[in-house]
Short mmCIF file of all heavy atoms in Angstrom, two decimals:
data_model
loop_
_atom_site.label_atom_id
_atom_site.label_comp_id
_atom_site.label_asym_id
_atom_site.label_seq_id
_atom_site.Cartn_x
_atom_site.Cartn_y
_atom_site.Cartn_z
N HIS A 164 -2.80 9.42 -10.51
CA HIS A 164 -2.11 8.97 -11.72
C HIS A 164 -0.84 8.21 -11.36
O HIS A 164 -0.46 7.25 -12.02
CB HIS A 164 -1.71 10.15 -12.61
CG HIS A 164 -2.84 10.99 -13.09
ND1 HIS A 164 -2.69 12.30 -13.46
CD2 HIS A 164 -4.16 10.70 -13.27
CE1 HIS A 164 -3.85 12.81 -13.85
NE2 HIS A 164 -4.77 11.85 -13.74
N VAL A 165 -0.17 8.69 -10.30
CA VAL A 165 1.09 8.07 -9.87
C VAL A 165 0.81 6.67 -9.35
O VAL A 165 1.46 5.69 -9.76
CB VAL A 165 1.77 8.90 -8.76
CG1 VAL A 165 3.05 8.21 -8.28
CG2 VAL A 165 2.07 10.31 -9.25
N THR A 166 -0.18 6.55 -8.48
CA THR A 166 -0.45 5.23 -7.89
C THR A 166 -1.01 4.28 -8.96
O THR A 166 -0.70 3.10 -8.96
CB THR A 166 -1.40 5.33 -6.69
OG1 THR A 166 -2.52 6.14 -7.05
CG2 THR A 166 -0.71 5.96 -5.51
N HIS A 167 -1.77 4.81 -9.89
CA HIS A 167 -2.30 4.00 -11.00
C HIS A 167 -1.15 3.41 -11.82
O HIS A 167 -1.17 2.25 -12.22
CB HIS A 167 -3.20 4.86 -11.87
CG HIS A 167 -3.85 4.12 -13.01
ND1 HIS A 167 -4.91 3.28 -12.83
CD2 HIS A 167 -3.57 4.10 -14.33
CE1 HIS A 167 -5.26 2.75 -13.99
NE2 HIS A 167 -4.45 3.24 -14.92
N SER A 168 -0.11 4.22 -12.06
CA SER A 168 0.98 3.79 -12.93
C SER A 168 2.02 2.94 -12.18
O SER A 168 2.54 1.98 -12.73
CB SER A 168 1.66 5.01 -13.56
OG SER A 168 2.57 4.63 -14.56
N LEU A 169 2.33 3.30 -10.94
CA LEU A 169 3.44 2.63 -10.23
C LEU A 169 2.95 1.72 -9.11
O LEU A 169 3.70 0.89 -8.60
CB LEU A 169 4.43 3.66 -9.68
CG LEU A 169 5.11 4.52 -10.75
CD1 LEU A 169 5.96 5.61 -10.10
CD2 LEU A 169 5.98 3.67 -11.68
N GLY A 170 1.70 1.91 -8.74
CA GLY A 170 1.00 1.03 -7.81
C GLY A 170 1.79 0.57 -6.62
O GLY A 170 2.35 1.38 -5.88
N ASP A 171 1.86 -0.74 -6.45
CA ASP A 171 2.39 -1.33 -5.22
C ASP A 171 3.88 -1.10 -5.02
O ASP A 171 4.39 -1.27 -3.92
CB ASP A 171 2.14 -2.85 -5.24
CG ASP A 171 0.65 -3.15 -5.19
OD1 ASP A 171 -0.10 -2.26 -4.77
OD2 ASP A 171 0.27 -4.28 -5.58
N GLN A 172 4.58 -0.73 -6.09
CA GLN A 172 6.02 -0.53 -5.94
C GLN A 172 6.35 0.68 -5.09
O GLN A 172 7.46 0.82 -4.60
CB GLN A 172 6.65 -0.27 -7.31
CG GLN A 172 6.45 -1.33 -8.34
CD GLN A 172 7.25 -0.96 -9.57
OE1 GLN A 172 8.46 -1.14 -9.63
NE2 GLN A 172 6.58 -0.38 -10.54
N LEU A 173 5.38 1.57 -4.95
CA LEU A 173 5.64 2.87 -4.33
C LEU A 173 5.19 2.86 -2.88
O LEU A 173 4.04 2.60 -2.58
CB LEU A 173 4.87 3.95 -5.11
CG LEU A 173 5.09 5.38 -4.68
CD1 LEU A 173 6.51 5.82 -5.01
CD2 LEU A 173 4.08 6.30 -5.36
N SER A 174 6.11 3.19 -1.95
CA SER A 174 5.72 3.17 -0.53
C SER A 174 5.16 4.50 -0.07
O SER A 174 4.28 4.54 0.78
CB SER A 174 6.91 2.74 0.33
OG SER A 174 7.96 3.66 0.19
N HIS A 175 5.66 5.63 -0.63
CA HIS A 175 5.22 6.94 -0.13
C HIS A 175 5.02 7.94 -1.26
O HIS A 175 5.84 8.02 -2.18
CB HIS A 175 6.25 7.54 0.83
CG HIS A 175 6.43 6.75 2.08
ND1 HIS A 175 7.29 5.68 2.16
CD2 HIS A 175 5.84 6.87 3.30
CE1 HIS A 175 7.22 5.18 3.39
NE2 HIS A 175 6.35 5.88 4.09
N ILE A 176 3.96 8.73 -1.15
CA ILE A 176 3.76 9.86 -2.07
C ILE A 176 3.38 11.09 -1.25
O ILE A 176 2.51 11.02 -0.39
CB ILE A 176 2.71 9.54 -3.15
CG1 ILE A 176 2.46 10.76 -4.04
CG2 ILE A 176 1.40 9.04 -2.57
CD1 ILE A 176 1.67 10.46 -5.30
N VAL A 177 4.05 12.19 -1.52
CA VAL A 177 3.69 13.46 -0.90
C VAL A 177 2.64 14.12 -1.79
O VAL A 177 2.82 14.23 -3.01
CB VAL A 177 4.93 14.37 -0.74
CG1 VAL A 177 4.53 15.73 -0.16
CG2 VAL A 177 5.99 13.69 0.13
N ILE A 178 1.56 14.55 -1.18
CA ILE A 178 0.41 15.09 -1.92
C ILE A 178 0.55 16.59 -2.13
O ILE A 178 0.86 17.32 -1.20
CB ILE A 178 -0.88 14.85 -1.09
CG1 ILE A 178 -1.08 13.36 -0.84
CG2 ILE A 178 -2.10 15.43 -1.78
CD1 ILE A 178 -1.10 12.55 -2.08
N GLY A 179 0.30 17.03 -3.36
CA GLY A 179 0.35 18.47 -3.62
C GLY A 179 -0.75 18.93 -4.55
O GLY A 179 -0.57 19.92 -5.25
N GLY A 180 -1.87 18.22 -4.61
CA GLY A 180 -2.95 18.62 -5.51
C GLY A 180 -2.56 18.40 -6.96
O GLY A 180 -1.60 17.68 -7.28
N LYS A 181 -3.31 19.05 -7.85
CA LYS A 181 -3.07 18.90 -9.29
C LYS A 181 -1.90 19.81 -9.68
O LYS A 181 -1.83 20.95 -9.25
CB LYS A 181 -4.35 19.31 -10.03
CG LYS A 181 -4.30 19.12 -11.52
CD LYS A 181 -5.65 19.47 -12.16
CE LYS A 181 -5.52 19.60 -13.67
NZ LYS A 181 -6.73 20.12 -14.31
N SER A 182 -0.97 19.27 -10.49
CA SER A 182 0.17 20.08 -10.95
C SER A 182 -0.36 21.26 -11.76
O SER A 182 -1.09 21.07 -12.73
CB SER A 182 1.09 19.25 -11.83
OG SER A 182 1.66 18.18 -11.09
N VAL A 183 0.02 22.50 -11.38
CA VAL A 183 -0.63 23.66 -11.98
C VAL A 183 -0.25 23.88 -13.44
O VAL A 183 -1.08 24.35 -14.22
CB VAL A 183 -0.38 24.98 -11.19
CG1 VAL A 183 -1.10 24.95 -9.85
CG2 VAL A 183 1.09 25.25 -11.01
N ILE A 184 0.96 23.51 -13.81
CA ILE A 184 1.35 23.70 -15.22
C ILE A 184 0.97 22.49 -16.05
O ILE A 184 0.41 22.62 -17.13
CB ILE A 184 2.84 24.05 -15.32
CG1 ILE A 184 3.05 25.47 -14.80
CG2 ILE A 184 3.35 23.91 -16.77
CD1 ILE A 184 4.44 25.95 -14.76
N GLY A 185 1.27 21.30 -15.58
CA GLY A 185 0.75 20.09 -16.22
C GLY A 185 1.57 19.53 -17.37
O GLY A 185 1.21 18.51 -17.93
N LEU A 186 2.64 20.21 -17.75
CA LEU A 186 3.55 19.70 -18.80
C LEU A 186 4.97 19.74 -18.23
O LEU A 186 5.32 20.66 -17.49
CB LEU A 186 3.53 20.59 -20.03
CG LEU A 186 2.35 20.55 -20.98
CD1 LEU A 186 2.62 21.46 -22.16
CD2 LEU A 186 2.08 19.13 -21.45
N GLU A 187 5.80 18.78 -18.63
CA GLU A 187 7.18 18.73 -18.15
C GLU A 187 7.93 20.01 -18.51
O GLU A 187 7.60 20.69 -19.48
CB GLU A 187 7.93 17.55 -18.77
CG GLU A 187 7.34 16.19 -18.49
CD GLU A 187 6.17 15.87 -19.38
OE1 GLU A 187 5.78 16.75 -20.18
OE2 GLU A 187 5.65 14.76 -19.29
N SER A 188 9.01 20.27 -17.74
CA SER A 188 9.79 21.49 -17.91
C SER A 188 10.39 21.62 -19.30
O SER A 188 10.66 20.63 -19.98
CB SER A 188 10.91 21.52 -16.86
OG SER A 188 11.77 20.41 -17.03
N THR A 189 10.61 22.85 -19.70
CA THR A 189 11.42 23.16 -20.88
C THR A 189 12.86 22.79 -20.52
O THR A 189 13.31 23.06 -19.41
CB THR A 189 11.36 24.67 -21.17
OG1 THR A 189 10.00 25.05 -21.29
CG2 THR A 189 12.13 25.04 -22.42
N ILE A 190 13.58 22.15 -21.46
CA ILE A 190 15.00 21.83 -21.20
C ILE A 190 15.87 22.62 -22.17
O ILE A 190 15.63 22.60 -23.38
CB ILE A 190 15.28 20.32 -21.38
CG1 ILE A 190 14.37 19.49 -20.47
CG2 ILE A 190 16.75 20.01 -21.08
CD1 ILE A 190 14.58 17.98 -20.58
#
Side-chain angles (χ1 to χ4, degrees):
H164 299 156
V165 178
T166 48
H167 182 76
S168 190
L169 298 174
D171 295 340
Q172 302 186 79
L173 184 68
S174 61
H175 295 86
I176 177 168
V177 177
I178 300 305
K181 185 177 166 188
S182 296
V183 291
I184 288 177
L186 285 184
E187 301 80 357
S188 60
T189 305
I190 303 180

